[in-house]
Amino acid sequence: MEKPPIRPTADTRPFWDGCRNRILRYQACEDCGAVQRIPRGACANCHGLRLSWRDSAGQGTVLSHTTVHRAPTAAFKADTPYVIALVDLDEGFRLMVNARGAPLAIGQRVRIGFEPRGDQAVPIAEPETP
């Protein structure tokens, strides 16, 4: 069974276009400098409308993680068990992503890579190597 396709909205299209090109992008307000945790049409901090998309270095710290043993749908059953991590990126935004590679620990440094999904790519966390 195929995993669900990525369906960008007007607010998230720049994020997903970046992922397709293996670039992690995030939204920031040009008026107050706040970084948006969730892309939207107005700044959550000052309600300004001058928002821009910036490229992230793709490095961050694991805030939390869990291992999924029961897939939410049949499309993900073959992947179980898999790890989902909350990662605080150095630029000030947070992602919930699947993790690949060595087991994770809270506080561990990771980098964001990309995994193909259809004609798109999804971000994943991988342990940062020295």
Side-chain angles (χ1 to χ4, degrees), residues 47-64:
H47 308 290
L49 301 177
R50 293 186 337 115
L51 301 170
S52 65
W53 284 91
R54 299 177 183 173
D55 295 349
S56 168
Q59 297 174 316
T61 304
V62 175
L63 174 70
S64 183

Side-chain angles (χ1 to χ4, degrees), residues 11-57:
D11 289 335
T12 64
R13 183 166 306 285
F15 174 84
W16 290 113
D17 287 349
C19 288
R20 184 181 302 116
N21 293 307
R22 309 301 195 261
I23 299 167
L24 183 63
R25 304 188 81 209
Y26 65 99
Q27 195 179 47
C29 179
E30 293 296 323
D31 293 327
C32 73
V35 171
Q36 302 269 78
R37 289 191 182 248
I38 300 169
R40 57 190 79 191
C43 177
N45 185 56
C46 74
H47 308 290
L49 301 177
R50 293 186 337 115
L51 301 170
S52 65
W53 284 91
R54 299 177 183 173
D55 295 349
S56 168

